[in-house]
């Protein structure tokens, strides 16, 4: 097999396209099939830097890991990074090419990207046995179909069969499957081979009559019913989709090694980016990670993380308006641990000069670290390696801000003053030895009898999660039928479901 393919579409955003794509990639590679993921256009503030210095969505980097291949810009040629409700930075082949409003993007620019997107897909199909493509949102967004470069637009151009994923946990999945199909043009419907139910709880025999009726209505089968799986913690794309109140990153179910747990509060700043940085903390036995937006929620935290953001100046204003800035200042004065990462590191500094991101000019930072930030037009995209707390550290950098450090102790590329740390490096906490050393420092400063587990290996945990995704596909989907789709395309003669596209 060479050049086989499949598009995993969804009835809605967050239906499970990313994890299903990763699961199919892991299932295929375990069968000895050389496979790659692909998403023509991604909108996400969770991004990653490839070894060649290209910025892509973290979901595609995770899917590449599921496929056991090195992620490249070919796998996510267009990345949109929202800077507000109406505009985004456009990243093409891993490099930023400018800011654009949603109207300007969908009004013409998006269509000009169709050729480079298709060129990337065809290059992957010429290299791999199979390419598993992930759609975006829903293929039935009829207002955007004319300029589509990520759903049925590429499916039709590349003659890819399509499987539509629906999240039954939200309810209404039969209407979603039927309505999604019925709103597509006949030429698009010819490629929709069937459906995949995601996040099912209960007795599947109770669902089967509905699946039979859906087949009767659409002429399309359901390729599997995937059960609700707890504790996957796989990289998300579009941010925290649930209310912040009580939101906790999924952790391994294991008691602390020492006498105490360690409580981590993450400030849920606007335009929060790469909040997956704290996943490695949540993976530690005895570490509880929660996202917060009120100053009183910092009081009992042993560590507060100010994470990355696509809007440092906006995040600063939010911290001040909410009273979190004062709470962070009190923590610093009391010697209680605070960690700033990327935009959070910038906010902890003394001064920001920004004529690029917010165009706000000179803005005072929180003054907790002796750092001045100047935003440059060129974006830093790097995969640094260094040492901190006597341990080797790997990370990645994605930022326009250039830091000038005027004091404190060196800490990665940033600095440390007392119990306040700051760095531009994302992903540093995934380095196991460094993470344990850092948590020991935090526990000492917080007066906690917390002991990091001696054997937590974040990379191995991630591999276990990806294997679980592969198991979900292998055990609960019709893999023979999926393999036929990937090799042969959509079956001929699929019926038209009226009314079709307007």
């Amino acid at each position: 097999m060479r050049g086989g393919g499949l598009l995993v579409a969804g009835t809605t955003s967050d239906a499970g396209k990313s994890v299903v794509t990763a699961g199919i990639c892991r299932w295929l590679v375990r069968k000895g099939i050389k496979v790659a993921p692909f998403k023509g256009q991604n909108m996400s503030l969770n991004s990653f830097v490839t070894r060649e210095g290209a910025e892509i969505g973290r979901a595609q980097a995770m899917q590449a890991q599921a496929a056991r291949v090195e992620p490249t810009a070919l796998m996510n040629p267009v990345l949109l990074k929202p800077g507000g409700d109406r505009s985004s930075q456009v990243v093409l082949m891993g490099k930023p090419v400018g800011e654009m409003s949603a109207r300007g993007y969908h009004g013409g620019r998006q269509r000009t990207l169709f050729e480079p997107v298709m060129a990337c897909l065809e290059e992957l199909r010429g290299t791999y046995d199979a390419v598993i493509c992930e759609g975006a949102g829903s293929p039935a967004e009829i207002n955007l179909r004319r300029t589509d470069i990520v759903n049925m637009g590429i499916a039709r151009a590349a003659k890819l069969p399509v499987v539509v994923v629906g999240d039954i946990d939200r309810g209404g999945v039969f209407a979603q499957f039927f309505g999604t199909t019925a709103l597509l043009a006949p030429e698009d419907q010819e490629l929709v081979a069937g459906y995949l139910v995601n996040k099912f709880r209960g007795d599947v025999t109770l669902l089967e009559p509905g699946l039979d009726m859906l087949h009767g209505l659409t002429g399309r089968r359901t390729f599997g019913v995937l059960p609700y799986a707890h504790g996957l913690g796989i990289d998300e794309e579009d941010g925290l989709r649930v209310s912040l109140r009580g939101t906790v990153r999924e952790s391994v179910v294991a008691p602390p090694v020492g006498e105490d747990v360690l409580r981590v509060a993450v400030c849920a700043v606007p335009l929060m980016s790469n909040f997956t940085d704290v996943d490695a903390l949540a993976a530690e036995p005895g570490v509880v990670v929660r996202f917060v937006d009120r100053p009183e929620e910092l009081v009992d935290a042993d560590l507060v993380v100010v994470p990355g953001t696509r809007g440092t100046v906006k995040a600063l204003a939010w911290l001040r308006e909410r009273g979190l800035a004062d709470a962070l200042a009190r923590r610093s004065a009391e010697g209680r641990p605070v960690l700033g990462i990327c935009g959070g590191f910038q906010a902890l500094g003394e001064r920001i000069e920004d004529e690029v991101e917010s165009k706000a000019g000179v803005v005072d930072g929180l003054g907790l670290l002796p750092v001045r930030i100047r935003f440059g037009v060129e974006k830093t995209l790097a995969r640094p390696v260094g040492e901190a707390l006597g341990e080797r550290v790997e990370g990645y950098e994605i930022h326009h801000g250039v830091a000038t450090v005027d004091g404190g102790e060196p800490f990665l590329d940033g600095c440390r003053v007392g119990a306040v740390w700051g760095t531009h490096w994302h992903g540093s906490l995934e380095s196991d030895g460094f993470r344990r050393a850092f948590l020991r420092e935090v526990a000492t400063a917080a007066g906690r009898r917390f002991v990091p587990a001696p054997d937590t290996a974040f990379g191995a945990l991630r591999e276990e999660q990806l294997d679980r995704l592969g198991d979900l596909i292998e055990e609960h989907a019709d893999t023979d039928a999926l393999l036929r789709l990937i090799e042969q395309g959509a079956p001929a003669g699929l019926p038209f479901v009226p009314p079709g596209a307007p």
Side-chain angles (χ1 to χ4, degrees), residues 413-480:
D413 70 331
C415 68
R416 169 188 181 178
V417 174
V420 180
W421 292 265
T423 177
H424 271 133
W425 291 20
H426 294 290
S428 62
L429 293 167
E430 295 180 18
S431 297
D432 297 326
F434 166 71
R435 182 181 63 256
R436 287 191 278 270
F438 177 72
L439 289 176
R440 283 192 289 270
E441 294 251 351
V442 167
T444 298
R448 289 280 178 190
R449 294 186 297 276
F450 170 84
V451 178
D455 54 357
T456 302
F458 184 75
L461 289 173
R462 175 52 53 91
E463 279 295 307
E464 290 174 14
Q465 291 169 331
L466 294 172
D467 275 331
R468 288 180 62 195
L469 292 181
D471 293 342
L472 284 176
I473 298 299
E474 194 166 334
E475 296 169 10
H476 300 282
D478 186 340
T479 52
D480 290 339

Side-chain angles (χ1 to χ4, degrees), residues 191-219:
L191 297 169
V192 177
Y195 314 109
L196 196 62
V197 176
N198 191 30
K199 298 184 183 177
F200 180 72
R201 307 172 193 249
D203 184 350
V204 73
T205 62
L206 298 176
L207 189 66
E208 287 169 352
L211 301 179
D212 292 339
M213 286 185 273
L214 182 67
H215 184 272
L217 288 166
T218 67

Side-chain angles (χ1 to χ4, degrees), residues 17-97:
K17 298 182 294 292
S18 295
V19 294
V20 167
T21 300
I24 293 174
C25 285
R26 179 49 61 100
W27 158 62
L28 287 172
V29 77
R30 291 196 306 207
K31 286 179 62 68
I33 295 171
K34 187 180 179 185
V35 59
F38 177 79
K39 187 163 185 173
Q41 172 198 292
N42 196 350
M43 177 173 279
S44 179
L45 287 172
N46 281 334
S47 57
F48 181 77
V49 178
T50 67
R51 294 207 179 278
E52 75 266 31
E55 184 179 8
I56 65 172
R58 272 199 71 95
Q60 279 61 66
M62 175 270 292
Q63 291 160 358
Q65 185 177 350
R68 296 179 179 149
V69 296
E70 190 67 33
T72 73
L74 291 172
M75 298 171 184
N76 179 206
V78 179
L79 173 63
L80 306 178
K81 304 193 71 175
D85 291 336
R86 296 188 178 183
S87 67
S88 294
Q89 183 181 65
V90 180
V91 179
L92 176 62
M93 293 303 294
K95 304 297 181 185
V97 294

Side-chain angles (χ1 to χ4, degrees), residues 88-112:
S88 294
Q89 183 181 65
V90 180
V91 179
L92 176 62
M93 293 303 294
K95 304 297 181 185
V97 294
E99 295 277 337
M100 188 163 290
S101 68
R103 179 175 292 275
Y105 183 72
H106 290 289
R109 178 62 188 273
Q110 184 182 34
R111 194 64 191 175
T112 67

Side-chain angles (χ1 to χ4, degrees), residues 314-377:
K314 183 178 289 189
L316 266 171
W318 182 87
L319 290 168
R320 288 177 168 127
E321 289 164 3
R322 297 262 174 162
L324 290 159
D326 290 338
L328 289 168
R330 286 193 294 273
R331 288 187 67 89
S332 174
E334 295 166 359
R336 303 179 66 203
V338 176
L339 171 65
I341 302 173
C342 200
F345 165 48
Q346 296 168 3
L348 296 179
E350 297 172 344
R351 189 182 70 181
I352 295 170
E353 298 177 33
D354 182 10
E355 299 292 350
V356 175
E357 190 174 78
S358 68
K359 298 181 173 58
V362 178
V363 177
D364 288 336
L366 299 183
L368 305 185
L369 291 174
V371 176
R372 290 176 287 113
I373 303 293
R374 179 184 56 78
F375 275 72
V377 174

Side-chain angles (χ1 to χ4, degrees), residues 5-9 38 40 111 114 117-118 121-122 125 131 133-136 139 145 148-164 184-185 187-193 489-490:
L6 176 71
L7 175 69
V8 179
F38 177 79
R111 194 64 191 175
F114 184 75
V117 165
M118 287 304 300
L121 176 56
E122 291 309 310
R125 294 184 81 181
V131 178
C133 306
E134 179 188 345
R145 176 61 183 91
D148 172 42
I149 64 170
V150 67
N151 289 308
M152 301 312 299
I154 68 162
R156 197 193 296 188
K159 296 181 173 54
L160 292 172
V162 179
V163 172
V164 181
L184 300 178
E187 298 85 353
D188 290 345
Q189 287 195 24
E190 289 175 1
L191 297 169
V192 177

Side-chain angles (χ1 to χ4, degrees), residues 252-397:
V252 293
V253 182
V257 175
E259 297 178 45
D260 285 345
V261 298
L262 207 64
R263 293 165 293 187
V264 179
V266 184
C267 297
V269 296
L271 301 175
M272 181 166 49
S273 62
N274 289 68
F275 59 81
T276 47
D277 281 332
V278 299
D279 284 354
L281 296 179
E284 284 285 348
V287 176
V288 179
V289 178
R290 66 184 189 271
F291 290 85
V292 304
D293 60 355
R294 299 187 302 200
E296 56 268 29
E297 293 174 297
L298 304 191
V299 174
D300 67 344
D302 302 307
L303 169 67
V304 173
V305 177
V306 187
T309 171
R310 189 52 181 108
T312 302
V313 170
K314 183 178 289 189
L316 266 171
W318 182 87
L319 290 168
R320 288 177 168 127
E321 289 164 3
R322 297 262 174 162
L324 290 159
D326 290 338
L328 289 168
R330 286 193 294 273
R331 288 187 67 89
S332 174
E334 295 166 359
R336 303 179 66 203
V338 176
L339 171 65
I341 302 173
C342 200
F345 165 48
Q346 296 168 3
L348 296 179
E350 297 172 344
R351 189 182 70 181
I352 295 170
E353 298 177 33
D354 182 10
E355 299 292 350
V356 175
E357 190 174 78
S358 68
K359 298 181 173 58
V362 178
V363 177
D364 288 336
L366 299 183
L368 305 185
L369 291 174
V371 176
R372 290 176 287 113
I373 303 293
R374 179 184 56 78
F375 275 72
V377 174
E378 296 297 319
K379 179 184 281 191
T380 298
L381 297 169
R383 292 276 294 268
V385 177
E387 184 177 302
L389 304 180
E391 299 286 346
R392 187 177 188 273
V393 187
E394 296 183 25
Y396 59 99
E397 295 183 69

